[in-house]
Amino acid sequence: MKKYLMTPGPTAVPERVLLSQAAQIIHHRTGAYREILGEVIKDLKYVFQTKNDVFILGSSGTGAMEAAVVNLMQRGEKALVVKGGKFGERFGEICEAYGVEIEAMDVEWGDAVSPYEIQKALARDNDIGVVFVTLCETSTGVVNDVASIGRIVKETKAVLVVDAISALGSVEIKTDEWGLDVVVAGSQKGLMIPPGLAFISVNEKAWAKIKANVKENTCLPSYYLNLTKTRESFLKTDHPFTPPVSLVLALKESLAMIKEEGLERVLARHRLLAEAMRAGIKALGLQIYAKSPSDSVTSVKVPASVDGLALVKKMSEEYGITIAGGQGKLKGKIFRIAHMGYADRFDVIIALSSLEMVLKKMGAKVKLGAAVKAAEEILI
Ligand SMILES: Cc1ncc(COP(=O)(O)O)c(C=O)c1O
């Protein structure tokens, strides 16, 4: 059976990117590698829409989240953590692991955070040094209004950290224009390469805070994720430690693909696919879970008559389509279909077609072809 990977990470990898990893390993302390790294960093800045520093870490996305926490937070300082899903919660867990006091902003799962609430929290509490927010909360499929949050946090002393792990390359993020101090991302999502790399951009405001932490000796402990050390190496177009060279080669290729298509068109493609997916879902009488849905992943409420875990299993076992179920308290209650990275119109059609068949077999009242038709009306 032909397999289709449609989870919100990892995502499918284009053939030319897969092939690029087959090249012989080159040593990372050579001119040949540095030339590649220099190009990759330049192209990453294009996708991040930034002139700030962008570093590559040999870790999954969580490594970049942890790097943001350990470099930016001071001992004794407070973090404002927006928790509207599993990944917002993760920022809180990392802070707690390092003994950082957090003020949790609990947002109803499925809702976006109100930027006004962030403004009020910052006005109330002058001890908040860093605000952590997720652009696309993958566990709920919600996209947050990071542009407005950026405008608000910019007016305060606090630094804003944005998790764009399931957004970069698929959902608009204007790092510099929106005043986002630190942005973290990962490889296995919109950037279309296998898991194993994380990225972090850092602007002047964030650097000023990191440098003050170092000077006042109020830093949290770090070694592998120490950004001051990372920056010293990247200034020489180098890494502090041995990088996953093959993944960097893959990244070079995937960034070339993004440049060839053009970032604007890449984002427009994601908007179109998301619109078609949502239209198809609604045509089946199903409900989108996220109130402010992301263009990278669509979360759908499981109809009352259907077993949500069985639905995800059947999609995979009977039709070869791997989608994701709900996480944490949403287990069995929603399913999530990604249209992120190496995704095009017929991925949406295939996913909706198999969904119709699975639902029908499970006894739900669906009209075969209804979702596909609705999506085609958009995609045509
Ligand atoms: C929004 C978001 N944040 C963080 C993560 C964690 O990334 P990783 O699994 O690469 O460590 C993910 C991955 O699913 C994510 O989607």
Side-chain angles (χ1 to χ4, degrees), residues 8-316:
T11 61
V13 177
E15 288 72 14
R16 62 186 262 202
V17 175
L18 289 171
L19 279 175
S20 69
Q21 295 174 98
Q24 183 56 270
I25 298 295
I26 47 173
H27 198 279
H28 56 288
R29 312 265 186 232
T30 59
Y33 178 78
R34 287 204 178 96
E35 203 176 300
I36 292 166
L37 180 61
E39 193 180 327
V40 163
I41 294 294
K42 185 164 75 60
D43 293 347
L44 274 176
K45 290 185 183 186
Y46 165 68
V47 181
F48 270 78
Q49 303 193 51
T50 188
K51 291 195 169 62
N52 302 332
D53 288 324
V54 177
F55 306 127
I56 301 174
L57 307 174
S59 74
S60 79
T62 305
M65 296 170 77
E66 185 157 339
V69 172
V70 297
N71 287 276
L72 286 160
M73 293 307 307
Q74 265 179 37
R75 282 196 304 274
E77 200 181 37
K78 213 190 271 181
L80 177 65
V81 178
V82 174
K83 290 185 179 177
K86 196 170 179 304
F87 295 107
E89 286 181 354
R90 183 166 300 181
F91 267 137
E93 287 161 11
I94 298 169
C95 285
E96 280 159 5
Y98 284 92
V100 171
E101 190 189 342
I102 64 165
E103 178 170 330
M105 180 164 288
D106 289 309
V107 178
E108 188 77 34
W109 285 33
D111 286 354
V113 65
S114 151
Y116 179 55
E117 290 302 320
I118 294 180
Q119 188 170 33
K120 282 199 298 189
L122 287 170
R124 240 184 352 250
D125 192 342
N126 202 37
D127 289 341
I128 294 171
V130 181
V131 178
F132 292 95
V133 68
T134 317
L135 174 51
C136 169
E137 177 48 80
T138 324
S139 60
T140 60
V142 164
V143 70
N144 282 307
D145 179 5
V146 160
S148 298
I149 298 168
R151 268 194 301 276
I152 288 165
V153 181
K154 203 173 174 180
E155 299 305 318
T156 71
K157 74 168 179 38
V159 164
L160 176 62
V161 175
V162 177
D163 171 354
I165 291 176
S166 63
L168 191 80
S170 50
V171 173
E172 183 84 88
I173 176 162
K174 297 188 173 181
T175 302
D176 291 357
E177 198 180 312
W178 296 352
L180 313 179
D181 302 315
V182 172
V183 174
V184 300
S187 53
Q188 76 279 20
K189 312 255 179 178
L191 291 183
M192 308 183 285
I193 70 169
L197 292 182
F199 313 100
I200 182 162
S201 75
V202 186
N203 76 0
E204 277 312 314
K205 187 177 177 187
W207 273 124
K209 185 159 182 7
I210 295 170
K211 285 178 187 162
N213 295 351
V214 173
K215 196 160 160 222
E216 292 156 24
N217 201 17
T218 50
C219 313
L220 299 175
S222 70
Y223 187 84
Y224 189 73
L225 298 175
N226 184 302
L227 289 181
T228 306
K229 196 162 54 190
T230 304
R231 184 190 213 188
E232 279 166 22
S233 293
F234 273 81
L235 281 173
K236 293 178 276 179
T237 325
D238 200 355
H239 300 266
F241 314 107
T242 310
V245 171
S246 304
L247 287 176
V248 175
L249 292 181
L251 180 60
K252 177 174 177 280
E253 197 62 32
S254 72
L255 289 168
M257 286 179 70
I258 292 174
K259 273 196 310 183
E260 282 162 24
E261 188 176 351
L263 187 58
E264 274 313 308
R265 265 191 241 129
V266 168
L267 299 175
R269 169 167 53 82
H270 283 85
R271 278 195 294 274
L272 178 75
L273 301 186
E275 203 190 323
M277 180 63 78
R278 293 193 287 260
I281 294 295
K282 288 178 192 159
L284 290 176
L286 304 184
Q287 273 178 290
I288 307 289
Y289 179 72
K291 301 219 178 73
S292 160
S294 166
D295 289 335
S296 55
V297 56
T298 296
S299 55
V300 185
K301 286 187 192 169
V302 175
S305 63
V306 168
D307 175 344
L309 300 181
L311 180 144
V312 172
K313 202 158 167 242
K314 277 180 184 293
M315 289 280 284
S316 161

